[in-house]
Amino acid sequence: MIIRPWRYEDILRISQIEEECFPREPWTFKMLASSFDTETFFGVIAEDGGEIAGYGGITVAAGSADIDNIAVTEPFRHSGVGTALLSRLCETAKERGAEKVFLEVRVSNSPALRLYLKNGFIGAYARTRYYSDGEDCLVMAKEL
């Protein structure tokens, strides 16, 4: 398994994984592709034998960072891929001058909540009815 920066040619597969993992509100191909025009964004891929096992993205600006997305394909879940992606994103945030990392997670997404708690994130506050379907979101943070 290697973790590497994502390339433009990865975007089609990333958008497919995005739809599989987040069917209610996936980022579109266009949204993902536009990340290449943003200097504050950094995307990573977990690749195993040429297959994309997962991806993540982070935006770093003004001393803090926001994890935009982390997704792992079904066959690679519970194998450490999410932790590896999260670690790389936090390392990148620190290298780019962030002191704190934030993320938003659906309150029903217990696998993601476990991942974030296991990796030092704590609940900061909730946003009620944040998602278009009315579900609440938990904002989590980690000091770097």
Side-chain angles (χ1 to χ4, degrees):
M1 178 79 53
I2 62 165
I3 306 293
R4 64 165 174 81
W6 73 19
R7 299 184 293 256
Y8 194 82
E9 57 265 24
D10 298 321
I11 299 298
L12 179 58
R13 181 62 184 131
I14 292 170
S15 68
Q16 293 166 342
I17 296 169
E18 180 77 9
E19 288 178 15
E20 293 166 16
C21 293
F22 307 108
R24 291 186 265 188
E25 295 185 51
W27 284 26
T28 64
F29 180 92
K30 185 176 180 179
M31 292 166 71
L32 292 162
S34 72
S35 67
F36 286 92
D37 298 329
T38 309
E39 291 181 16
T40 57
F41 180 84
F42 180 74
V44 292
I45 294 289
E47 190 175 56
D48 186 50
E51 179 181 354
I52 295 176
Y55 65 90
I58 193 165
T59 300
V60 183
S64 70
D66 291 298
I67 293 180
D68 300 308
N69 267 347
I70 292 182
V72 178
T73 62
E74 185 69 38
F76 290 95
R77 291 184 188 154
H78 308 291
S79 67
V81 172
T83 297
L85 290 166
L86 185 59
S87 294
R88 178 64 187 275
L89 293 174
C90 289
E91 288 169 14
T92 299
K94 191 171 185 174
E95 290 166 2
R96 293 182 177 200
E99 297 173 4
K100 199 169 199 176
V101 177
F102 295 91
L103 58 83
E104 298 165 341
V105 59
R106 285 179 176 270
V107 294
S108 65
N109 191 344
S110 55
L113 287 166
R114 279 192 301 276
L115 170 69
Y116 301 139
L117 288 168
K118 181 178 84 174
N119 285 280
F121 283 80
I122 59 170
Y125 56 92
R127 291 186 172 148
T128 56
R129 304 181 63 78
Y130 178 75
Y131 295 101
S132 63
D133 62 2
E135 186 173 355
D136 295 346
C137 144
L138 178 63
V139 176
M140 301 183 81
K142 178 180 180 175
E143 299 283 338
L144 296 177

